[in-house]
């Protein structure tokens, strides 16, 4: 199975800040890496697919990059509604399609 | 408009079998490049993928839970059903169904149900 290591587990930032979340895979994923946002009490929402592509309807302050087995989600101009837990997930080849353990973003 | 909605019991007893139903609309369960997974989330914990049914009716399961899970579908009712046997308090979680769509670089869970909370307790 592919292991996904996500960091940090939590962070606190102010409105307007830029934050970065990292996900490292135990092996190459090509670009089969997705990012989801889960606001408190809600279902997850797809933010980024194919490592770098913004899902329709997602604000452009969300962006992502990839380098080898390292993947990064960046939130620019942090907004109060960005308070949520963010998960990476691999969909490379066959299941299981593991999720990372999540990064909780708190707005100061 | 694509929607998924989970339904099932909110409370089950230890050792009982859980049956959850995911009713979908806005797409066909037999459409190419689509499938439906069940994913759960224990309180305060991360998401855990459980099982998936492909458009061709192929099924795959989490290795750690494979012996307890069965996923099936009724295309005429647009429903995907998950059964989990021998329920334990550790299975207490919110259970989600989600559509997986793969087209080009998009291979992700693009639509999710609202989730259904299942508590396992005597």
């Amino acid at each position: 199975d592919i292991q996904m290591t996500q960091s940090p587990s939590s962070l606190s930032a102010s409105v307007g800040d830029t934050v970065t979340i990292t996900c490292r895979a135990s092996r190459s994923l090509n670009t089969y890496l997705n990012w989801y946002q889960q606001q408190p009490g809600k279902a997850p929402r797809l933010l980024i697919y194919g490592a770098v592509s913004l899902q329709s309807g997602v604000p452009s302050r969300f962006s992502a990059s990839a380098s080898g087995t390292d993947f990064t989600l960046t939130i620019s101009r942090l907004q109060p509604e960005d308070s949520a837990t963010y998960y990476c997930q691999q969909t490379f080849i066959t299941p299981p399609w593991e999720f990372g353990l999540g990064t909780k973003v708190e707005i100061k | 408009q694509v929607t998924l909605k989970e339904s099932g019991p909110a409370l089950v007893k230890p050792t009982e079998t859980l049956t959850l139903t995911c009713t979908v609309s806005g797409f066909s369960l037999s459409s190419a490049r689509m499938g439906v997974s069940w994913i759960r989330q224990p309180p305060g914990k991360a998401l855990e993928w459980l099982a998936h049914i492909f458009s061709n009716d192929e099924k795959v399961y989490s290795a750690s839970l494979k012996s307890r899970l069965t996923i099936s579908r009724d295309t005429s009712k647009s429903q995907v059903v998950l059964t989990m046997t021998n329920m334990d308090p550790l299975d207490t979680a919110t259970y989600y169904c989600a559509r997986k769509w793969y087209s080009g670089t998009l291979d992700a869970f693009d639509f999710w149900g609202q989730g259904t909370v299942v508590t396992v307790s005597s």
Side-chain angles (χ1 to χ4, degrees):
Chain A
D1 294 357
I2 299 175
Q3 309 305 315
M4 308 301 296
T5 304
Q6 195 172 335
S7 62
S9 57
S10 65
L11 64 88
S12 182
S14 301
V15 171
D17 284 354
T18 295
V19 300
T20 299
I21 299 167
T22 298
C23 189
R24 173 169 289 174
S26 59
R27 55 164 289 185
S28 172
L29 302 179
N30 197 338
T31 58
Y32 290 90
L33 189 285
N34 308 306
W35 291 96
Y36 299 86
Q37 175 196 61
Q38 187 177 33
Q39 294 172 322
K42 293 189 175 181
R45 167 197 181 194
L46 178 64
L47 293 178
I48 300 285
Y49 63 90
V52 298
S53 298
L54 197 67
Q55 173 69 340
S56 175
V58 175
S60 59
R61 63 178 183 275
F62 290 91
S63 63
S65 64
S67 178
T69 58
D70 291 339
F71 301 85
T72 299
L73 173 70
T74 299
I75 312 172
S76 305
R77 305 179 301 280
L78 198 66
Q79 298 298 303
E81 59 267 29
D82 299 334
S83 177
T85 300
Y86 294 83
Y87 294 94
C88 62
Q89 183 213 19
Q90 68 85 14
T91 52
F92 188 54
I93 312 179
T94 54
W97 296 307
E98 290 96 344
F99 293 88
L101 293 181
T103 296
K104 186 174 183 178
V105 173
E106 176 193 75
I107 309 299
K108 291 179 184 175
Chain B
Q1 180 188 3
V2 172
T3 65
L4 301 94
K5 186 171 184 179
E6 306 89 347
S7 58
L11 179 66
V12 296
K13 292 181 169 55
T15 75
E16 287 186 340
T17 294
L18 171 69
T19 299
L20 296 174
T21 300
C22 175
T23 303
V24 311
S25 64
F27 70 100
S28 169
L29 294 174
S30 55
S31 293
R33 300 189 303 278
M34 291 184 190
V36 173
S37 274
W38 285 94
I39 296 155
R40 71 178 179 180
Q41 185 173 38
K45 295 191 176 181
L47 300 164
E48 179 185 16
W49 175 82
L50 300 177
H52 184 81
I53 189 162
F54 291 88
S55 58
N56 63 359
D57 205 31
E58 180 184 353
K59 297 129 182 170
V60 288
Y61 299 96
S62 163
S64 62
L65 293 168
K66 185 174 183 178
S67 63
R68 299 174 53 206
L69 296 174
T70 302
I71 191 170
S72 62
R73 71 182 186 183
D74 184 333
T75 54
S76 67
K77 294 182 179 179
S78 295
Q79 293 180 334
V80 175
V81 176
L82 181 76
T83 62
M84 180 180 291
T85 61
N86 194 24
M87 292 293 285
D88 181 273
L90 290 175
D91 296 313
T92 293
T94 299
Y95 287 75
Y96 296 99
C97 59
R99 185 182 83 163
K100 188 173 184 285
W101 186 37
Y102 33 103
S103 177
T105 59
L106 193 157
D107 186 347
F109 294 101
D110 61 346
F111 286 93
W112 295 65
Q114 63 191 17
T116 187
V117 178
V118 177
T119 301
V120 184
S121 175
S122 54

